[in-house]
Amino acid sequence: MMKLVFERDGKAITIGHSLPFWLNKVTGLSEIDCDVESEKATDQDGEVYKGSTANKRNIVIDATVILPDGKNHAVIREEFFAFFVPRQPGTLYVYEGATAKKIDYRLENIEFDQDGIFRDFSISLICPDPKFKATEDDVDTIAQTMGLIEWPLELPEEFEVGRRTDTLMATVVNNSSVTRGMTLTFVASGEVENPGMIEVGRQEALKINTTMHTGDVIVITTGQGKKRVKLIRDGVETNINNLWDFGGVWLQVEPGTNVFRVTADSSVAPLEVTIASTPAYWGA
C-alpha cells in the first residue's frame, strides 16, 4: 500500500490507509509531460527533432478525514492550514512496498468538504523539478584512510592504527535513466595545488585554481541550479566560484558506469575526496 509523508521545517503529516487521513487517489506520480521542439523544412516529410524538456509536475491527492477521538473537523483544518503554507517549500516522501522516493513541492491548492461525518479533501502540489529522488545518497570515497583498530584491543609492540588506500579512482553506477549532479568534497591533510577531477570515459574535467593547505575543505556542487564552489578554511566558509578553471565541466553522474579520477597539479596524496549523488527518477 502507498503512504505519503509531507515534511516541512521538522514537522510531518502522513496520508495513507490509516486514521485520520485515508488516501483515496493520487495522480501525477507516474507520468511525465514533455515539450518536444521540432522544425519543418521545405519539401521535408515530417520534422527535424531539435530538443525536448520535461515540464513541472502537478501532484493531486484526494483523501478523506476520518476523525480520531478528541478531535473535530475544525481542528483538522487548522492543522492543515498551519502546515501547508503558501510560498513555503516542502518535501513529499512516497512509500510503496520497499520503495521510497521524495520530491520537493510548492503548494497550489487545498480544498475541504464542509459537511458530513467523513469529509473529503484534496491537495494540489506543483513540483518545479519534476524528478523524484532517492531518500539516501550514493557515497563513494577516494583515497580514504581506513581504521585498523579492532575491539577487544590488543596492543603488540608495533601496530597500525590506520592505512591509507592507494586508489585515486571511483566507479559510480547510475542505474536510472536520469543524469544527476554531485557533491564533491575535497579534504586536504597537506598542501595540494589546483585540485580537480576527471571522468575517464568522457574525458570531461573540472579544476579549482587554488592551493589547499592542511585542514582545508573544498565543496563543489554540480546539480541543476546548485552549481557552487566553496572553501572552508579555519571554520570560515568562502565562495570561490571565481577560482573555477576556465573550460571546466560541472561533472554529472550519467546513466550507466562513470569512472572518476582525482587530479591535482601537485601530488594528490594529501587529498581525501568524497563523491555524493542522489539517484533520480522520472516517476515514483
Side-chain angles (χ1 to χ4, degrees), residues 216-241:
D216 284 357
V217 178
I218 288 179
V219 180
I220 305 171
T221 54
T222 71
Q224 180 178 326
K226 300 178 181 179
K227 294 177 171 60
R228 303 285 187 276
V229 185
K230 66 180 180 181
L231 169 68
I232 303 171
R233 174 175 289 167
D234 298 327
V236 178
E237 184 176 309
T238 306
N239 186 312
I240 57 170
N241 276 36

PDB file of all heavy atoms in Angstrom, residues 216-241:
ATOM      1  N   ASP A 216      42.099  22.339   5.013  1.00  0.00           N
ATOM      2  CA  ASP A 216      41.180  22.980   4.074  1.00  0.00           C
ATOM      3  C   ASP A 216      40.172  21.982   3.529  1.00  0.00           C
ATOM      4  O   ASP A 216      40.488  20.807   3.297  1.00  0.00           O
ATOM      5  CB  ASP A 216      41.940  23.595   2.896  1.00  0.00           C
ATOM      6  CG  ASP A 216      42.633  24.899   3.254  1.00  0.00           C
ATOM      7  OD1 ASP A 216      42.479  25.350   4.405  1.00  0.00           O
ATOM      8  OD2 ASP A 216      43.316  25.453   2.381  1.00  0.00           O
ATOM      9  N   VAL A 217      38.968  22.471   3.283  1.00  0.00           N
ATOM     10  CA  VAL A 217      37.912  21.662   2.662  1.00  0.00           C
ATOM     11  C   VAL A 217      37.319  22.463   1.504  1.00  0.00           C
ATOM     12  O   VAL A 217      36.955  23.632   1.669  1.00  0.00           O
ATOM     13  CB  VAL A 217      36.798  21.301   3.667  1.00  0.00           C
ATOM     14  CG1 VAL A 217      35.684  20.503   2.975  1.00  0.00           C
ATOM     15  CG2 VAL A 217      37.358  20.529   4.846  1.00  0.00           C
ATOM     16  N   ILE A 218      37.239  21.843   0.334  1.00  0.00           N
ATOM     17  CA  ILE A 218      36.552  22.444  -0.814  1.00  0.00           C
ATOM     18  C   ILE A 218      35.346  21.575  -1.139  1.00  0.00           C
ATOM     19  O   ILE A 218      35.462  20.361  -1.277  1.00  0.00           O
ATOM     20  CB  ILE A 218      37.477  22.561  -2.039  1.00  0.00           C
ATOM     21  CG1 ILE A 218      38.524  23.662  -1.807  1.00  0.00           C
ATOM     22  CG2 ILE A 218      36.676  22.875  -3.302  1.00  0.00           C
ATOM     23  CD1 ILE A 218      39.508  23.828  -2.953  1.00  0.00           C
ATOM     24  N   VAL A 219      34.181  22.217  -1.252  1.00  0.00           N
ATOM     25  CA  VAL A 219      32.942  21.517  -1.576  1.00  0.00           C
ATOM     26  C   VAL A 219      32.422  22.056  -2.904  1.00  0.00           C
ATOM     27  O   VAL A 219      32.199  23.264  -3.054  1.00  0.00           O
ATOM     28  CB  VAL A 219      31.878  21.692  -0.474  1.00  0.00           C
ATOM     29  CG1 VAL A 219      30.597  20.942  -0.855  1.00  0.00           C
ATOM     30  CG2 VAL A 219      32.412  21.201   0.862  1.00  0.00           C
ATOM     31  N   ILE A 220      32.215  21.153  -3.871  1.00  0.00           N
ATOM     32  CA  ILE A 220      31.719  21.515  -5.200  1.00  0.00           C
ATOM     33  C   ILE A 220      30.375  20.822  -5.401  1.00  0.00           C
ATOM     34  O   ILE A 220      30.277  19.602  -5.267  1.00  0.00           O
ATOM     35  CB  ILE A 220      32.693  21.076  -6.310  1.00  0.00           C
ATOM     36  CG1 ILE A 220      34.086  21.635  -6.063  1.00  0.00           C
ATOM     37  CG2 ILE A 220      32.178  21.492  -7.684  1.00  0.00           C
ATOM     38  CD1 ILE A 220      35.150  21.063  -6.996  1.00  0.00           C
ATOM     39  N   THR A 221      29.332  21.592  -5.711  1.00  0.00           N
ATOM     40  CA  THR A 221      28.039  21.005  -6.059  1.00  0.00           C
ATOM     41  C   THR A 221      27.769  21.275  -7.532  1.00  0.00           C
ATOM     42  O   THR A 221      27.958  22.394  -8.015  1.00  0.00           O
ATOM     43  CB  THR A 221      26.907  21.589  -5.199  1.00  0.00           C
ATOM     44  OG1 THR A 221      26.911  23.012  -5.302  1.00  0.00           O
ATOM     45  CG2 THR A 221      27.087  21.200  -3.736  1.00  0.00           C
ATOM     46  N   THR A 222      27.308  20.248  -8.259  1.00  0.00           N
ATOM     47  CA  THR A 222      27.186  20.352  -9.715  1.00  0.00           C
ATOM     48  C   THR A 222      25.754  20.175 -10.212  1.00  0.00           C
ATOM     49  O   THR A 222      25.533  20.112 -11.409  1.00  0.00           O
ATOM     50  CB  THR A 222      28.080  19.296 -10.410  1.00  0.00           C
ATOM     51  OG1 THR A 222      27.526  17.987 -10.211  1.00  0.00           O
ATOM     52  CG2 THR A 222      29.497  19.331  -9.874  1.00  0.00           C
ATOM     53  N   GLY A 223      24.778  20.065  -9.301  1.00  0.00           N
ATOM     54  CA  GLY A 223      23.395  19.838  -9.714  1.00  0.00           C
ATOM     55  C   GLY A 223      22.779  21.054 -10.385  1.00  0.00           C
ATOM     56  O   GLY A 223      23.263  22.187 -10.257  1.00  0.00           O
ATOM     57  N   GLN A 224      21.681  20.824 -11.099  1.00  0.00           N
ATOM     58  CA  GLN A 224      20.978  21.894 -11.786  1.00  0.00           C
ATOM     59  C   GLN A 224      20.523  22.952 -10.792  1.00  0.00           C
ATOM     60  O   GLN A 224      19.856  22.671  -9.814  1.00  0.00           O
ATOM     61  CB  GLN A 224      19.764  21.319 -12.519  1.00  0.00           C
ATOM     62  CG  GLN A 224      18.943  22.338 -13.281  1.00  0.00           C
ATOM     63  CD  GLN A 224      17.781  21.703 -14.019  1.00  0.00           C
ATOM     64  OE1 GLN A 224      17.858  20.589 -14.496  1.00  0.00           O
ATOM     65  NE2 GLN A 224      16.668  22.424 -14.094  1.00  0.00           N
ATOM     66  N   GLY A 225      20.904  24.201 -11.036  1.00  0.00           N
ATOM     67  CA  GLY A 225      20.541  25.294 -10.147  1.00  0.00           C
ATOM     68  C   GLY A 225      21.333  25.330  -8.858  1.00  0.00           C
ATOM     69  O   GLY A 225      21.056  26.164  -7.986  1.00  0.00           O
ATOM     70  N   LYS A 226      22.316  24.454  -8.709  1.00  0.00           N
ATOM     71  CA  LYS A 226      23.074  24.379  -7.456  1.00  0.00           C
ATOM     72  C   LYS A 226      24.580  24.375  -7.714  1.00  0.00           C
ATOM     73  O   LYS A 226      25.355  23.846  -6.920  1.00  0.00           O
ATOM     74  CB  LYS A 226      22.695  23.119  -6.686  1.00  0.00           C
ATOM     75  CG  LYS A 226      21.226  23.051  -6.308  1.00  0.00           C
ATOM     76  CD  LYS A 226      20.894  21.756  -5.589  1.00  0.00           C
ATOM     77  CE  LYS A 226      19.434  21.685  -5.230  1.00  0.00           C
ATOM     78  NZ  LYS A 226      19.078  20.414  -4.556  1.00  0.00           N
ATOM     79  N   LYS A 227      25.015  24.941  -8.818  1.00  0.00           N
ATOM     80  CA  LYS A 227      26.433  24.915  -9.178  1.00  0.00           C
ATOM     81  C   LYS A 227      27.190  25.926  -8.317  1.00  0.00           C
ATOM     82  O   LYS A 227      27.100  27.143  -8.523  1.00  0.00           O
ATOM     83  CB  LYS A 227      26.602  25.188 -10.665  1.00  0.00           C
ATOM     84  CG  LYS A 227      26.010  24.089 -11.560  1.00  0.00           C
ATOM     85  CD  LYS A 227      26.139  24.423 -13.027  1.00  0.00           C
ATOM     86  CE  LYS A 227      25.765  23.237 -13.911  1.00  0.00           C
ATOM     87  NZ  LYS A 227      24.399  22.770 -13.714  1.00  0.00           N
ATOM     88  N   ARG A 228      27.960  25.390  -7.370  1.00  0.00           N
ATOM     89  CA  ARG A 228      28.662  26.228  -6.404  1.00  0.00           C
ATOM     90  C   ARG A 228      30.020  25.621  -6.068  1.00  0.00           C
ATOM     91  O   ARG A 228      30.201  24.402  -6.118  1.00  0.00           O
ATOM     92  CB  ARG A 228      27.868  26.356  -5.096  1.00  0.00           C
ATOM     93  CG  ARG A 228      26.457  26.908  -5.236  1.00  0.00           C
ATOM     94  CD  ARG A 228      26.464  28.414  -5.479  1.00  0.00           C
ATOM     95  NE  ARG A 228      25.103  28.944  -5.449  1.00  0.00           N
ATOM     96  CZ  ARG A 228      24.257  28.943  -6.482  1.00  0.00           C
ATOM     97  NH1 ARG A 228      24.654  28.432  -7.642  1.00  0.00           N
ATOM     98  NH2 ARG A 228      23.039  29.450  -6.367  1.00  0.00           N
ATOM     99  N   VAL A 229      30.974  26.490  -5.687  1.00  0.00           N
ATOM    100  CA  VAL A 229      32.267  26.046  -5.145  1.00  0.00           C
ATOM    101  C   VAL A 229      32.530  26.858  -3.887  1.00  0.00           C
ATOM    102  O   VAL A 229      32.487  28.097  -3.918  1.00  0.00           O
ATOM    103  CB  VAL A 229      33.427  26.262  -6.147  1.00  0.00           C
ATOM    104  CG1 VAL A 229      34.722  25.677  -5.580  1.00  0.00           C
ATOM    105  CG2 VAL A 229      33.113  25.637  -7.498  1.00  0.00           C
ATOM    106  N   LYS A 230      32.790  26.178  -2.781  1.00  0.00           N
ATOM    107  CA  LYS A 230      33.086  26.896  -1.544  1.00  0.00           C
ATOM    108  C   LYS A 230      34.316  26.310  -0.870  1.00  0.00           C
ATOM    109  O   LYS A 230      34.588  25.113  -0.968  1.00  0.00           O
ATOM    110  CB  LYS A 230      31.891  26.886  -0.594  1.00  0.00           C
ATOM    111  CG  LYS A 230      31.513  25.534  -0.044  1.00  0.00           C
ATOM    112  CD  LYS A 230      30.311  25.641   0.875  1.00  0.00           C
ATOM    113  CE  LYS A 230      29.910  24.274   1.432  1.00  0.00           C
ATOM    114  NZ  LYS A 230      28.713  24.372   2.317  1.00  0.00           N
ATOM    115  N   LEU A 231      35.047  27.181  -0.198  1.00  0.00           N
ATOM    116  CA  LEU A 231      36.236  26.811   0.565  1.00  0.00           C
ATOM    117  C   LEU A 231      35.937  27.008   2.047  1.00  0.00           C
ATOM    118  O   LEU A 231      35.422  28.057   2.448  1.00  0.00           O
ATOM    119  CB  LEU A 231      37.429  27.672   0.151  1.00  0.00           C
ATOM    120  CG  LEU A 231      38.676  27.587   1.038  1.00  0.00           C
ATOM    121  CD1 LEU A 231      39.317  26.207   0.931  1.00  0.00           C
ATOM    122  CD2 LEU A 231      39.667  28.683   0.671  1.00  0.00           C
ATOM    123  N   ILE A 232      36.248  25.983   2.838  1.00  0.00           N
ATOM    124  CA  ILE A 232      36.126  26.100   4.290  1.00  0.00           C
ATOM    125  C   ILE A 232      37.546  26.039   4.866  1.00  0.00           C
ATOM    126  O   ILE A 232      38.226  25.017   4.760  1.00  0.00           O
ATOM    127  CB  ILE A 232      35.262  24.968   4.871  1.00  0.00           C
ATOM    128  CG1 ILE A 232      33.883  24.967   4.208  1.00  0.00           C
ATOM    129  CG2 ILE A 232      35.120  25.116   6.381  1.00  0.00           C
ATOM    130  CD1 ILE A 232      33.030  23.771   4.557  1.00  0.00           C
ATOM    131  N   ARG A 233      37.973  27.156   5.450  1.00  0.00           N
ATOM    132  CA  ARG A 233      39.339  27.249   5.995  1.00  0.00           C
ATOM    133  C   ARG A 233      39.243  27.873   7.387  1.00  0.00           C
ATOM    134  O   ARG A 233      38.698  28.955   7.550  1.00  0.00           O
ATOM    135  CB  ARG A 233      40.224  28.093   5.080  1.00  0.00           C
ATOM    136  CG  ARG A 233      41.619  28.371   5.629  1.00  0.00           C
ATOM    137  CD  ARG A 233      42.455  29.113   4.598  1.00  0.00           C
ATOM    138  NE  ARG A 233      42.808  28.241   3.474  1.00  0.00           N
ATOM    139  CZ  ARG A 233      43.309  28.703   2.321  1.00  0.00           C
ATOM    140  NH1 ARG A 233      43.490  30.008   2.137  1.00  0.00           N
ATOM    141  NH2 ARG A 233      43.615  27.842   1.354  1.00  0.00           N
ATOM    142  N   ASP A 234      39.769  27.159   8.363  1.00  0.00           N
ATOM    143  CA  ASP A 234      39.741  27.627   9.758  1.00  0.00           C
ATOM    144  C   ASP A 234      38.310  27.956  10.202  1.00  0.00           C
ATOM    145  O   ASP A 234      38.074  28.934  10.924  1.00  0.00           O
ATOM    146  CB  ASP A 234      40.645  28.847   9.936  1.00  0.00           C
ATOM    147  CG  ASP A 234      42.106  28.531   9.637  1.00  0.00           C
ATOM    148  OD1 ASP A 234      42.526  27.387   9.906  1.00  0.00           O
ATOM    149  OD2 ASP A 234      42.808  29.424   9.128  1.00  0.00           O
ATOM    150  N   GLY A 235      37.360  27.146   9.715  1.00  0.00           N
ATOM    151  CA  GLY A 235      35.974  27.332  10.118  1.00  0.00           C
ATOM    152  C   GLY A 235      35.229  28.416   9.382  1.00  0.00           C
ATOM    153  O   GLY A 235      34.040  28.631   9.623  1.00  0.00           O
ATOM    154  N   VAL A 236      35.910  29.118   8.462  1.00  0.00           N
ATOM    155  CA  VAL A 236      35.284  30.211   7.718  1.00  0.00           C
ATOM    156  C   VAL A 236      34.962  29.733   6.306  1.00  0.00           C
ATOM    157  O   VAL A 236      35.826  29.192   5.605  1.00  0.00           O
ATOM    158  CB  VAL A 236      36.204  31.442   7.651  1.00  0.00           C
ATOM    159  CG1 VAL A 236      35.550  32.554   6.830  1.00  0.00           C
ATOM    160  CG2 VAL A 236      36.526  31.939   9.054  1.00  0.00           C
ATOM    161  N   GLU A 237      33.713  29.913   5.864  1.00  0.00           N
ATOM    162  CA  GLU A 237      33.262  29.465   4.551  1.00  0.00           C
ATOM    163  C   GLU A 237      33.304  30.622   3.560  1.00  0.00           C
ATOM    164  O   GLU A 237      32.793  31.708   3.830  1.00  0.00           O
ATOM    165  CB  GLU A 237      31.839  28.912   4.669  1.00  0.00           C
ATOM    166  CG  GLU A 237      31.290  28.337   3.383  1.00  0.00           C
ATOM    167  CD  GLU A 237      29.918  27.729   3.583  1.00  0.00           C
ATOM    168  OE1 GLU A 237      29.766  26.901   4.514  1.00  0.00           O
ATOM    169  OE2 GLU A 237      29.000  28.091   2.825  1.00  0.00           O
ATOM    170  N   THR A 238      33.922  30.383   2.394  1.00  0.00           N
ATOM    171  CA  THR A 238      34.065  31.417   1.370  1.00  0.00           C
ATOM    172  C   THR A 238      33.630  30.878   0.018  1.00  0.00           C
ATOM    173  O   THR A 238      33.982  29.753  -0.352  1.00  0.00           O
ATOM    174  CB  THR A 238      35.536  31.881   1.259  1.00  0.00           C
ATOM    175  OG1 THR A 238      36.012  32.278   2.552  1.00  0.00           O
ATOM    176  CG2 THR A 238      35.668  33.046   0.292  1.00  0.00           C
ATOM    177  N   ASN A 239      32.873  31.675  -0.728  1.00  0.00           N
ATOM    178  CA  ASN A 239      32.509  31.313  -2.096  1.00  0.00           C
ATOM    179  C   ASN A 239      33.717  31.534  -3.001  1.00  0.00           C
ATOM    180  O   ASN A 239      34.266  32.631  -3.060  1.00  0.00           O
ATOM    181  CB  ASN A 239      31.324  32.174  -2.558  1.00  0.00           C
ATOM    182  CG  ASN A 239      30.801  31.756  -3.929  1.00  0.00           C
ATOM    183  OD1 ASN A 239      31.577  31.578  -4.864  1.00  0.00           O
ATOM    184  ND2 ASN A 239      29.504  31.617  -4.057  1.00  0.00           N
ATOM    185  N   ILE A 240      34.128  30.481  -3.729  1.00  0.00           N
ATOM    186  CA  ILE A 240      35.299  30.607  -4.609  1.00  0.00           C
ATOM    187  C   ILE A 240      34.952  30.189  -6.035  1.00  0.00           C
ATOM    188  O   ILE A 240      35.783  29.609  -6.753  1.00  0.00           O
ATOM    189  CB  ILE A 240      36.506  29.788  -4.075  1.00  0.00           C
ATOM    190  CG1 ILE A 240      36.148  28.301  -3.898  1.00  0.00           C
ATOM    191  CG2 ILE A 240      37.019  30.370  -2.774  1.00  0.00           C
ATOM    192  CD1 ILE A 240      37.361  27.427  -3.618  1.00  0.00           C
ATOM    193  N   ASN A 241      33.719  30.479  -6.473  1.00  0.00           N
ATOM    194  CA  ASN A 241      33.353  30.203  -7.862  1.00  0.00           C
ATOM    195  C   ASN A 241      34.309  30.877  -8.848  1.00  0.00           C
ATOM    196  O   ASN A 241      34.521  30.393  -9.959  1.00  0.00           O
ATOM    197  CB  ASN A 241      31.923  30.672  -8.135  1.00  0.00           C
ATOM    198  CG  ASN A 241      30.875  29.658  -7.722  1.00  0.00           C
ATOM    199  OD1 ASN A 241      31.048  28.972  -6.721  1.00  0.00           O
ATOM    200  ND2 ASN A 241      29.792  29.566  -8.475  1.00  0.00           N
TER     201      ASN A 241
END
